[in-house]
Coordinates of all heavy atoms in Angstrom, one line a residue:
M90 N 98.6 71.3 155.6 CA 99.0 70.5 156.7 C 100.5 70.8 157.0 O 101.3 70.5 156.1 CB 98.8 69.0 156.4 CG 99.2 68.1 157.6 SD 98.6 66.5 157.2 CE 100.1 65.6 157.3
P91 N 100.7 71.3 158.1 CA 102.2 71.6 158.5 C 103.0 70.4 158.7 O 102.5 69.4 159.2 CB 102.1 72.5 159.7 CG 100.8 72.1 160.3 CD 99.9 71.6 159.2
V92 N 104.2 70.4 158.2 CA 105.2 69.3 158.3 C 106.1 69.7 159.5 O 106.7 70.7 159.5 CB 105.9 69.1 157.1 CG1 106.9 67.9 157.2 CG2 105.1 68.9 155.9
S93 N 106.1 68.8 160.5 CA 106.9 69.0 161.7 C 108.2 68.2 161.5 O 108.3 67.2 160.9 CB 106.3 68.6 162.9 OG 106.0 67.3 162.9
R94 N 109.2 68.7 162.2 CA 110.6 68.1 162.2 C 110.5 66.8 163.1 O 110.0 66.8 164.2 CB 111.6 69.0 162.7 CG 113.0 68.5 162.7 CD 114.0 69.7 163.1 NE 115.3 69.1 163.3 CZ 115.7 68.7 164.5 NH1 115.0 68.9 165.5 NH2 116.9 68.2 164.6
I95 N 111.1 65.8 162.6 CA 111.1 64.5 163.4 C 112.5 64.5 164.1 O 113.5 64.4 163.4 CB 110.9 63.3 162.5 CG1 109.5 63.3 162.0 CG2 111.1 62.0 163.4 CD1 109.2 62.1 161.0
D96 N 112.5 64.5 165.4 CA 113.7 64.3 166.1 C 113.9 62.9 166.4 O 113.1 62.2 167.0 CB 113.7 65.2 167.5 CG 114.9 65.2 168.2 OD1 115.9 64.7 167.7 OD2 114.9 65.8 169.3
L97 N 115.1 62.3 165.9 CA 115.3 60.9 166.0 C 115.6 60.5 167.4 O 115.4 59.4 167.8 CB 116.5 60.5 165.1 CG 116.3 60.7 163.6 CD1 117.6 60.3 162.9 CD2 115.1 59.8 163.1
M98 N 116.0 61.4 168.2 CA 116.3 61.1 169.7 C 115.0 60.9 170.4 O 115.1 60.3 171.5 CB 117.2 62.1 170.3 CG 118.6 62.3 169.6 SD 119.5 60.8 169.5 CE 120.0 60.7 171.2
N99 N 113.9 61.5 170.0 CA 112.7 61.5 170.7 C 111.7 60.5 170.1 O 110.4 60.6 170.5 CB 112.1 62.9 170.9 CG 112.9 63.7 171.7 OD1 113.6 63.2 172.7 ND2 112.9 65.0 171.4
L100 N 112.1 59.6 169.3 CA 111.1 58.7 168.7 C 110.5 57.8 169.7 O 109.3 57.3 169.5 CB 111.7 57.9 167.6 CG 111.9 58.6 166.2 CD1 112.6 57.7 165.2 CD2 110.6 59.0 165.7
N101 N 111.2 57.4 170.6 CA 110.7 56.5 171.7 C 109.7 57.1 172.7 O 109.2 56.5 173.6 CB 111.8 55.8 172.4 CG 112.5 54.9 171.5 OD1 112.0 54.3 170.6 ND2 113.8 54.7 171.8
S102 N 109.5 58.5 172.5 CA 108.7 59.2 173.5 C 107.3 58.8 173.4 O 106.5 59.2 174.3 CB 108.9 60.6 173.5 OG 108.4 61.1 172.2
G103 N 106.8 58.3 172.3 CA 105.4 57.9 172.1 C 104.7 59.1 171.4 O 103.4 59.0 171.2
Q104 N 105.4 60.1 171.0 CA 104.7 61.3 170.4 C 104.2 60.9 169.0 O 103.2 61.4 168.6 CB 105.7 62.4 170.3 CG 105.2 63.6 169.6 CD 106.2 64.8 169.5 OE1 107.3 64.6 169.9 NE2 105.8 65.9 168.9
F105 N 104.9 60.1 168.3 CA 104.5 59.8 166.9 C 103.8 58.5 166.8 O 103.5 58.0 165.8 CB 105.8 59.8 166.0 CG 106.5 61.1 165.9 CD1 107.7 61.3 166.7 CD2 106.0 62.1 165.2 CE1 108.3 62.5 166.6 CE2 106.6 63.3 165.2 CZ 107.7 63.5 165.8
I106 N 103.5 57.8 167.9 CA 102.9 56.5 167.9 C 101.4 56.9 168.1 O 101.0 57.4 169.2 CB 103.4 55.5 169.0 CG1 104.8 55.3 168.8 CG2 102.6 54.3 169.0 CD1 105.5 54.6 170.0
P107 N 100.5 56.5 167.1 CA 99.1 56.7 167.3 C 98.5 55.8 168.5 O 98.9 54.6 168.6 CB 98.5 56.3 166.0 CG 99.5 55.3 165.3 CD 100.8 55.8 165.9
E108 N 97.7 56.4 169.2 CA 97.0 55.6 170.3 C 95.9 54.9 169.8 O 95.0 55.5 169.1 CB 96.6 56.6 171.5 CG 97.8 57.1 172.2 CD 97.4 58.0 173.4 OE1 96.3 57.6 174.0 OE2 98.1 58.9 173.8
T109 N 95.7 53.7 170.1 CA 94.5 52.9 169.8 C 93.6 52.7 171.0 O 94.1 52.5 172.1 CB 94.8 51.5 169.3 OG1 95.6 50.9 170.3 CG2 95.7 51.6 168.0
K110 N 92.4 53.2 170.8 CA 91.4 53.0 171.9 C 90.7 51.7 171.8 O 89.7 51.6 171.0 CB 90.5 54.3 172.0 CG 91.2 55.5 172.2 CD 90.2 56.7 172.1 CE 90.9 57.9 172.3 NZ 90.1 59.1 172.3
K111 N 91.1 50.7 172.6 CA 90.5 49.5 172.5 C 89.9 49.2 173.8 O 90.5 49.0 174.9 CB 91.7 48.4 172.2 CG 91.0 47.1 171.8 CD 92.3 46.2 171.4 CE 91.7 45.0 170.8 NZ 92.8 44.0 170.4
T112 N 88.5 49.3 173.8 CA 87.8 49.2 175.0 C 87.4 47.7 175.3 O 87.4 47.3 176.4 CB 86.5 49.9 174.9 OG1 85.7 49.6 173.8 CG2 86.8 51.5 174.8
N113 N 87.3 46.9 174.2 CA 86.9 45.5 174.4 C 88.2 44.7 174.3 O 88.7 44.4 173.2 CB 85.9 45.1 173.3 CG 85.4 43.8 173.6 OD1 85.6 43.2 174.6 ND2 84.6 43.2 172.6
K114 N 88.7 44.3 175.5 CA 90.0 43.5 175.5 C 89.6 42.0 175.7 O 89.8 41.5 176.8 CB 91.0 44.1 176.5 CG 91.4 45.4 176.2 CD 92.5 45.8 177.3 CE 93.0 47.3 176.9 NZ 94.0 47.7 177.8
E115 N 89.3 41.4 174.6 CA 89.0 40.0 174.7 C 90.3 39.2 174.4 O 91.0 39.5 173.4 CB 87.9 39.5 173.9 CG 86.6 40.0 174.2 CD 85.4 39.4 173.4 OE1 85.5 38.2 173.1 OE2 84.4 40.1 173.2
S116 N 90.6 38.2 175.1 CA 91.8 37.4 174.9 C 91.5 36.3 173.8 O 90.3 36.1 173.5 CB 92.4 36.8 176.1 OG 91.4 35.8 176.7
F117 N 92.5 35.7 173.4 CA 92.4 34.6 172.4 C 91.6 33.4 173.1 O 90.8 32.8 172.5 CB 93.7 34.1 171.9 CG 93.7 33.1 170.9 CD1 93.2 33.4 169.6 CD2 94.1 31.8 171.1 CE1 93.2 32.4 168.6 CE2 94.1 30.9 170.1 CZ 93.6 31.1 168.9
E118 N 91.9 33.3 174.4 CA 91.2 32.2 175.1 C 89.8 32.5 175.2 O 89.0 31.5 175.0 CB 91.8 32.2 176.6 CG 91.1 31.1 177.5 CD 91.6 31.1 178.9 OE1 92.5 32.0 179.2 OE2 91.2 30.3 179.7
D119 N 89.3 33.7 175.4 CA 87.9 34.1 175.4 C 87.2 33.7 174.0 O 86.1 33.2 174.0 CB 87.7 35.6 175.7 CG 88.1 35.9 177.1 OD1 88.2 35.0 178.0 OD2 88.5 37.0 177.3
H120 N 87.9 34.1 172.9 CA 87.4 33.7 171.7 C 87.3 32.2 171.4 O 86.3 31.8 170.9 CB 88.3 34.4 170.5 CG 88.2 35.9 170.4 ND1 87.1 36.5 169.9 CD2 89.0 36.8 170.7 CE1 87.2 37.8 169.9 NE2 88.4 38.0 170.4
L121 N 88.2 31.5 171.8 CA 88.1 30.0 171.8 C 86.9 29.5 172.6 O 86.2 28.6 172.1 CB 89.4 29.3 172.2 CG 90.6 29.4 171.2 CD1 91.8 28.7 171.8 CD2 90.2 28.7 169.9
K122 N 86.8 30.0 173.8 CA 85.7 29.6 174.7 C 84.4 29.9 174.1 O 83.4 29.1 174.0 CB 85.7 30.2 176.1 CG 86.8 29.6 177.0 CD 86.8 30.3 178.3 CE 87.9 29.7 179.2 NZ 88.0 30.4 180.5
K123 N 84.3 31.1 173.5 CA 83.0 31.5 172.8 C 82.7 30.6 171.7 O 81.6 30.2 171.4 CB 83.2 33.0 172.4 CG 81.9 33.6 172.3 CD 81.9 35.1 171.9 CE 82.6 35.9 173.0 NZ 82.8 37.4 172.6
G124 N 83.7 30.3 170.9 CA 83.6 29.4 169.7 C 83.1 28.0 170.1 O 82.2 27.4 169.5
F125 N 83.8 27.5 171.3 CA 83.4 26.2 171.7 C 82.0 26.2 172.2 O 81.2 25.2 171.9 CB 84.3 25.8 172.8 CG 84.1 24.5 173.4 CD1 84.4 23.3 172.7 CD2 83.4 24.3 174.6 CE1 84.0 22.0 173.2 CE2 83.2 23.1 175.3 CZ 83.5 21.9 174.5
E126 N 81.5 27.2 172.9 CA 80.1 27.3 173.4 C 79.2 27.4 172.2 O 78.2 26.7 172.2 CB 80.0 28.6 174.3 CG 80.7 28.4 175.6 CD 80.6 29.7 176.4 OE1 80.1 30.7 175.9 OE2 81.3 29.7 177.5
N127 N 79.6 28.1 171.2 CA 78.6 28.2 170.0 C 78.5 26.8 169.3 O 77.4 26.4 168.9 CB 79.2 29.2 169.0 CG 79.0 30.6 169.5 OD1 78.2 30.9 170.3 ND2 79.8 31.5 168.9
V128 N 79.6 26.1 169.1 CA 79.6 24.8 168.6 C 78.8 23.8 169.4 O 78.0 23.1 168.9 CB 81.0 24.2 168.3 CG1 81.0 22.8 167.9 CG2 81.8 25.0 167.3
N129 N 79.0 23.9 170.7 CA 78.2 23.1 171.6 C 76.7 23.3 171.5 O 75.9 22.4 171.5 CB 78.7 23.2 173.1 CG 78.1 22.2 174.0 OD1 78.0 21.1 173.7 ND2 77.7 22.7 175.2
N130 N 76.3 24.6 171.4 CA 74.9 25.0 171.4 C 74.3 24.5 170.0 O 73.2 24.0 170.1 CB 74.7 26.6 171.5 CG 75.0 27.0 172.9 OD1 75.0 26.3 173.9 ND2 75.5 28.3 173.0
L131 N 75.0 24.6 169.0 CA 74.6 24.1 167.7 C 74.4 22.6 167.7 O 73.4 22.0 167.2 CB 75.5 24.4 166.5 CG 75.5 25.9 166.1 CD1 76.6 26.2 165.1 CD2 74.2 26.2 165.5
Q132 N 75.3 21.9 168.5 CA 75.1 20.4 168.5 C 73.9 20.0 169.4 O 73.1 19.1 169.1 CB 76.4 19.8 169.2 CG 77.7 19.9 168.4 CD 77.7 18.9 167.3 OE1 77.1 17.9 167.3 NE2 78.2 19.4 166.1
L133 N 73.7 20.8 170.5 CA 72.6 20.5 171.4 C 71.2 20.8 170.6 O 70.2 20.1 170.7 CB 72.6 21.3 172.6 CG 73.8 21.0 173.6 CD1 73.8 21.9 174.8 CD2 73.6 19.5 174.0
R134 N 71.2 21.9 169.7 CA 70.1 22.2 169.0 C 69.7 21.2 168.0 O 68.6 20.8 167.8 CB 70.2 23.6 168.3 CG 69.1 24.0 167.4 CD 69.4 25.4 166.9 NE 68.6 25.5 165.7 CZ 68.9 25.8 164.5 NH1 70.3 26.0 164.3 NH2 68.2 25.8 163.4
A135 N 70.8 20.6 167.4 CA 70.6 19.6 166.3 C 70.1 18.3 167.1 O 69.2 17.7 166.5 CB 71.9 19.2 165.6
E136 N 70.5 18.0 168.2 CA 70.1 16.8 168.9 C 68.6 17.0 169.3 O 67.8 16.1 169.2 CB 70.9 16.6 170.2 CG 70.6 15.4 171.0 CD 71.5 15.3 172.1 OE1 72.7 15.7 172.1 OE2 71.0 14.6 173.2
R137 N 68.3 18.3 169.8 CA 66.8 18.5 170.1 C 66.0 18.3 168.9 O 64.9 17.7 168.9 CB 66.6 19.9 170.7 CG 67.1 20.0 172.2 CD 66.6 21.3 172.7 NE 67.0 22.4 172.0 CZ 68.1 23.1 172.2 NH1 69.0 22.8 173.1 NH2 68.4 24.2 171.5
E138 N 66.4 18.8 167.7 CA 65.6 18.7 166.5 C 65.4 17.3 166.0 O 64.4 16.8 165.6 CB 66.3 19.5 165.3 CG 66.2 21.0 165.5 CD 64.8 21.6 165.5 OE1 63.9 21.1 164.7 OE2 64.6 22.6 166.2
V139 N 66.5 16.5 166.3 CA 66.4 15.1 165.9 C 65.4 14.3 166.8 O 64.6 13.5 166.4 CB 67.8 14.4 165.9 CG1 67.7 12.9 165.9 CG2 68.6 14.9 164.8
Q140 N 65.5 14.7 168.1 CA 64.5 14.1 169.1 C 63.1 14.4 168.7 O 62.2 13.6 168.8 CB 64.8 14.5 170.5 CG 66.1 13.9 171.1 CD 66.5 14.4 172.4 OE1 65.8 15.4 172.9 NE2 67.5 13.9 173.0
K141 N 62.9 15.7 168.3 CA 61.6 16.1 167.9 C 61.1 15.3 166.6 O 60.0 14.9 166.5 CB 61.5 17.6 167.5 CG 61.5 18.5 168.7 CD 61.5 20.0 168.3 CE 61.7 21.0 169.4 NZ 61.7 22.4 168.9
L142 N 62.1 15.1 165.7 CA 61.7 14.3 164.5 C 61.3 12.8 165.0 O 60.4 12.3 164.4 CB 62.9 14.2 163.6 CG 62.8 13.4 162.3 CD1 61.7 14.1 161.4 CD2 64.1 13.3 161.6
V143 N 62.1 12.3 165.9 CA 61.8 10.9 166.2 C 60.3 10.8 166.9 O 59.6 9.8 166.7 CB 62.9 10.4 167.2 CG1 62.5 9.0 167.8 CG2 64.2 10.2 166.5
T144 N 60.0 11.8 167.7 CA 58.8 11.8 168.4 C 57.6 12.3 167.6 O 56.4 12.2 167.9 CB 58.8 12.6 169.6 OG1 59.1 14.0 169.4 CG2 59.8 12.1 170.7
G145 N 57.9 12.8 166.3 CA 56.9 13.3 165.4 C 56.4 14.7 165.7 O 55.4 15.0 165.2
D146 N 57.2 15.4 166.4 CA 56.8 16.8 166.7 C 57.3 17.8 165.7 O 57.0 19.0 165.8 CB 57.4 17.2 168.1 CG 56.8 16.5 169.2 OD1 55.7 16.0 169.0 OD2 57.4 16.3 170.2
V147 N 57.9 17.3 164.5 CA 58.4 18.3 163.5 C 57.4 18.1 162.3 O 57.2 17.0 161.8 CB 59.8 17.9 163.1 CG1 60.3 18.7 162.0 CG2 60.8 18.1 164.3
D148 N 57.1 19.2 161.7 CA 56.3 19.3 160.5 C 57.1 19.3 159.3 O 56.7 18.7 158.2 CB 55.3 20.5 160.6 CG 54.3 20.5 161.7 OD1 53.9 19.3 162.1 OD2 53.8 21.5 162.2
D149 N 58.2 20.0 159.5 CA 59.0 20.2 158.3 C 60.5 19.6 158.6 O 61.1 20.1 159.4 CB 59.2 21.8 157.9 CG 60.0 22.1 156.7 OD1 60.1 21.1 155.9 OD2 60.3 23.2 156.5
I150 N 60.8 18.6 157.8 CA 62.0 17.9 158.0 C 63.3 18.7 157.7 O 64.4 18.5 158.1 CB 62.1 16.6 157.3 CG1 63.2 15.7 157.8 CG2 62.2 16.7 155.8 CD1 63.2 14.3 157.4
S151 N 63.0 19.7 156.8 CA 64.2 20.7 156.5 C 64.8 21.3 157.7 O 65.9 21.7 157.7 CB 63.7 21.6 155.4 OG 62.8 22.6 155.9
Q152 N 64.0 21.5 158.7 CA 64.5 22.3 159.9 C 65.5 21.3 160.5 O 66.6 21.8 161.0 CB 63.4 22.6 160.9 CG 62.4 23.6 160.4 CD 61.3 23.6 161.4 OE1 61.0 22.8 162.2 NE2 60.4 24.8 161.1
V153 N 65.2 20.1 160.6 CA 66.1 19.1 161.2 C 67.4 19.0 160.3 O 68.4 19.0 160.9 CB 65.4 17.7 161.4 CG1 66.3 16.7 162.0 CG2 64.1 17.8 162.1
V154 N 67.2 18.9 159.1 CA 68.4 18.7 158.2 C 69.3 20.0 158.3 O 70.6 19.8 158.4 CB 68.0 18.5 156.7 CG1 69.1 18.5 155.8 CG2 67.2 17.2 156.7
T155 N 68.7 21.1 158.4 CA 69.5 22.4 158.5 C 70.2 22.4 159.8 O 71.4 22.8 159.8 CB 68.5 23.6 158.3 OG1 67.9 23.5 157.1 CG2 69.3 24.9 158.4
A156 N 69.6 22.1 160.9 CA 70.2 22.1 162.2 C 71.4 21.1 162.2 O 72.4 21.5 162.8 CB 69.2 21.8 163.3
V157 N 71.2 19.9 161.7 CA 72.2 18.9 161.7 C 73.4 19.3 160.8 O 74.6 19.2 161.2 CB 71.6 17.6 161.3 CG1 72.8 16.5 161.2 CG2 70.7 17.1 162.4
A158 N 73.1 19.9 159.7 CA 74.1 20.3 158.8 C 75.0 21.5 159.4 O 76.2 21.5 159.3 CB 73.5 20.8 157.4
E159 N 74.3 22.5 160.0 CA 75.0 23.6 160.8 C 75.8 23.1 161.8 O 77.0 23.5 162.0 CB 74.0 24.6 161.3 CG 73.3 25.4 160.3 CD 72.3 26.3 161.0 OE1 72.1 26.3 162.2 OE2 71.8 27.3 160.3
A160 N 75.4 22.1 162.6 CA 76.2 21.6 163.7 C 77.4 20.8 163.1 O 78.5 20.9 163.7 CB 75.4 20.6 164.6
E161 N 77.2 20.0 162.1 CA 78.3 19.3 161.5 C 79.4 20.2 160.9 O 80.6 20.1 161.2 CB 77.8 18.4 160.4 CG 78.9 17.5 159.7 CD 78.4 16.7 158.6 OE1 77.2 16.8 158.3 OE2 79.2 16.0 158.1
I162 N 78.9 21.2 160.2 CA 79.9 22.2 159.6 C 80.7 22.9 160.7 O 81.9 23.2 160.6 CB 79.2 23.2 158.7 CG1 78.7 22.5 157.5 CG2 80.1 24.4 158.3 CD1 77.9 23.3 156.5
A163 N 79.9 23.4 161.8 CA 80.6 24.1 162.9 C 81.7 23.2 163.6 O 82.8 23.6 164.0 CB 79.5 24.5 163.9
L164 N 81.3 22.0 163.7 CA 82.2 21.0 164.4 C 83.4 20.8 163.6 O 84.6 20.7 164.1 CB 81.5 19.7 164.7 CG 82.3 18.7 165.5 CD1 82.8 19.2 166.8 CD2 81.6 17.4 165.7
R165 N 83.3 20.5 162.3 CA 84.4 20.4 161.4 C 85.3 21.6 161.4 O 86.5 21.4 161.4 CB 83.9 20.1 159.9 CG 83.4 18.7 159.8 CD 83.0 18.5 158.3 NE 82.5 17.3 158.1 CZ 82.1 16.7 156.9 NH1 82.3 17.5 155.8 NH2 81.6 15.6 156.7
L166 N 84.8 22.8 161.4 CA 85.6 24.0 161.4 C 86.3 24.1 162.7 O 87.5 24.4 162.7 CB 84.6 25.2 161.3 CG 85.3 26.6 161.3 CD1 86.4 26.7 160.2 CD2 84.4 27.8 161.3
F167 N 85.7 23.8 163.8 CA 86.3 23.9 165.1 C 87.4 22.8 165.2 O 88.6 23.1 165.8 CB 85.3 23.7 166.3 CG 85.8 24.3 167.6 CD1 85.7 25.6 167.7 CD2 86.2 23.5 168.6 CE1 86.2 26.2 169.0 CE2 86.7 24.1 169.7 CZ 86.7 25.4 170.0
V168 N 87.3 21.6 164.7 CA 88.3 20.6 164.6 C 89.5 21.1 163.8 O 90.6 20.9 164.1 CB 87.7 19.3 164.1 CG1 88.9 18.3 163.9 CG2 86.8 18.7 165.2
E169 N 89.2 21.7 162.7 CA 90.2 22.2 161.9 C 91.0 23.4 162.6 O 92.3 23.3 162.4 CB 89.7 22.9 160.5 CG 89.3 21.7 159.5 CD 90.4 20.9 159.1 OE1 91.6 21.4 158.8 OE2 90.2 19.6 158.9
V170 N 90.4 24.2 163.3 CA 91.1 25.2 164.0 C 91.9 24.6 165.1 O 93.1 25.0 165.3 CB 90.0 26.2 164.6 CG1 90.7 27.1 165.6 CG2 89.4 27.0 163.6
R171 N 91.4 23.6 165.8 CA 92.2 22.9 166.8 C 93.4 22.3 166.2 O 94.5 22.3 166.8 CB 91.3 21.8 167.5 CG 92.1 21.1 168.6 CD 91.7 19.7 168.7 NE 91.8 18.9 167.5 CZ 91.3 17.7 167.3 NH1 90.6 17.2 168.3 NH2 91.4 17.1 166.2
D172 N 93.3 21.6 165.0 CA 94.4 21.0 164.4 C 95.5 22.0 164.0 O 96.7 21.8 164.1 CB 93.9 20.2 163.2 CG 93.0 18.9 163.5 OD1 93.1 18.6 164.7 OD2 92.4 18.4 162.7
K173 N 95.1 23.1 163.5 CA 96.0 24.2 163.1 C 96.8 24.7 164.3 O 97.9 25.0 164.3 CB 95.3 25.3 162.4 CG 94.8 24.9 161.1 CD 95.9 24.7 160.1 CE 95.4 24.4 158.7 NZ 96.5 24.1 157.8
L174 N 96.0 24.9 165.5 CA 96.7 25.3 166.7 C 97.7 24.3 167.2 O 98.8 24.7 167.6 CB 95.6 25.6 167.8 CG 94.8 26.9 167.5 CD1 93.6 27.0 168.5 CD2 95.6 28.1 167.5
V175 N 97.3 23.1 167.1 CA 98.3 22.0 167.6 C 99.4 22.0 166.7 O 100.6 21.9 167.2 CB 97.5 20.6 167.7 CG1 98.5 19.5 167.9 CG2 96.5 20.6 168.8
D176 N 99.2 22.1 165.4 CA 100.4 22.1 164.5 C 101.3 23.3 164.7 O 102.5 23.1 164.7 CB 99.8 22.1 163.1 CG 101.0 22.0 162.1 OD1 101.9 21.2 162.2 OD2 100.9 22.8 161.1
A177 N 100.7 24.5 165.0 CA 101.5 25.6 165.2 C 102.3 25.4 166.6 O 103.5 25.9 166.6 CB 100.6 26.8 165.3
Y178 N 101.6 24.9 167.5 CA 102.4 24.7 168.8 C 103.5 23.7 168.5 O 104.6 23.9 169.1 CB 101.5 24.1 169.8 CG 102.1 23.7 171.1 CD1 102.5 24.7 172.0 CD2 102.4 22.4 171.4 CE1 103.2 24.3 173.1 CE2 103.1 22.0 172.6 CZ 103.4 23.1 173.5 OH 104.1 22.7 174.7
Q179 N 103.4 22.7 167.8 CA 104.4 21.7 167.6 C 105.5 22.3 166.8 O 106.7 22.1 167.1 CB 103.8 20.5 166.9 CG 103.0 19.7 167.6 CD 102.3 18.5 166.9 OE1 102.3 18.5 165.7 NE2 101.7 17.6 167.7
Q180 N 105.2 23.2 165.9 CA 106.2 23.9 165.1 C 107.1 24.8 166.0 O 108.3 24.9 165.9 CB 105.7 24.7 163.9 CG 105.3 23.8 162.8 CD 104.7 24.5 161.6 OE1 104.7 25.8 161.6 NE2 104.1 23.9 160.7
L181 N 106.4 25.5 166.9 CA 107.1 26.4 167.8 C 107.9 25.6 168.8 O 109.1 26.0 169.2 CB 106.0 27.2 168.6 CG 105.4 28.4 167.8 CD1 104.4 29.0 168.7 CD2 106.5 29.4 167.4
S182 N 107.5 24.4 169.2 CA 108.3 23.7 170.1 C 109.5 23.1 169.5 O 110.6 22.8 170.2 CB 107.5 22.6 170.7 OG 107.1 21.5 169.8
R183 N 109.5 23.0 168.2 CA 110.7 22.5 167.5 C 111.8 23.6 167.2 O 112.9 23.2 166.7 CB 110.3 21.9 166.1 CG 109.7 20.6 166.3 CD 109.5 20.0 164.9 NE 108.1 19.3 165.0 CZ 107.2 19.5 164.1 NH1 107.4 20.3 162.9 NH2 106.0 19.0 164.2
I184 N 111.5 24.8 167.4 CA 112.4 25.9 167.2 C 113.6 25.9 168.3 O 113.3 25.9 169.5 CB 111.8 27.3 167.2 CG1 110.7 27.4 166.1 CG2 112.8 28.4 167.1 CD1 109.9 28.7 166.1
P185 N 114.8 25.8 167.9 CA 115.9 25.8 168.9 C 116.0 27.1 169.5 O 116.0 28.1 168.9 CB 117.1 25.3 168.1 CG 116.7 25.8 166.6 CD 115.3 25.7 166.5
V186 N 116.3 27.1 170.8 CA 116.4 28.3 171.6 C 117.9 28.6 171.8 O 118.7 27.8 172.0 CB 115.7 28.2 172.9 CG1 115.9 29.5 173.7 CG2 114.2 28.0 172.7

């Protein structure tokens, strides 16, 4: 592999900066929305399973327990993420400018 000379004056030209090909440009907001929708869908699924249990349409109660547990864990995780984001925002707002 040949070694080329690095010209310090031309470092800003972009010649030595590798190009990243990022075709999927999802913002942080998009990821949060997607996470919120997933948590909401799990909550709705758990609610449907509980309604089926109450009406007697469920043969296996483990399906209901699993759906409720998944919804609870997802909600707890989302609340923790929210709390961390709020904490980070508060810390940033305390930084003197």
Side-chain angles (χ1 to χ4, degrees):
M90 178 168 128
V92 177
S93 62
R94 181 175 171 266
I95 298 176
D96 187 5
L97 294 177
M98 299 302 285
N99 291 328
L100 280 179
N101 292 332
S102 67
Q104 177 182 0
F105 297 103
I106 300 172
E108 290 187 28
T109 57
K110 295 180 181 179
K111 197 172 189 182
T112 57
N113 190 6
K114 293 185 179 183
E115 289 189 37
S116 68
F117 185 69
E118 179 184 4
D119 294 336
H120 286 290
L121 283 179
K122 284 181 182 179
K123 205 180 294 183
F125 180 73
E126 289 172 0
N127 288 339
V128 170
N129 189 43
N130 289 338
L131 286 171
Q132 292 289 329
L133 293 174
R134 180 175 154 240
E136 186 177 329
R137 282 192 306 269
E138 290 294 327
V139 169
Q140 287 176 354
K141 287 181 186 177
L142 178 66
V143 170
T144 59
D146 295 335
V147 174
D148 295 329
D149 188 12
I150 195 169
S151 66
Q152 294 173 346
V153 178
V154 172
T155 303
V157 170
E159 284 178 357
E161 181 184 3
I162 291 170
L164 183 61
R165 284 185 183 183
L166 177 64
F167 202 76
V168 167
E169 286 296 321
V170 169
R171 183 213 53 195
D172 291 345
K173 291 291 182 183
L174 287 172
V175 169
D176 184 46
Y178 175 77
Q179 289 174 348
Q180 287 181 7
L181 286 174
S182 67
R183 285 187 222 130
I184 295 175
V186 179

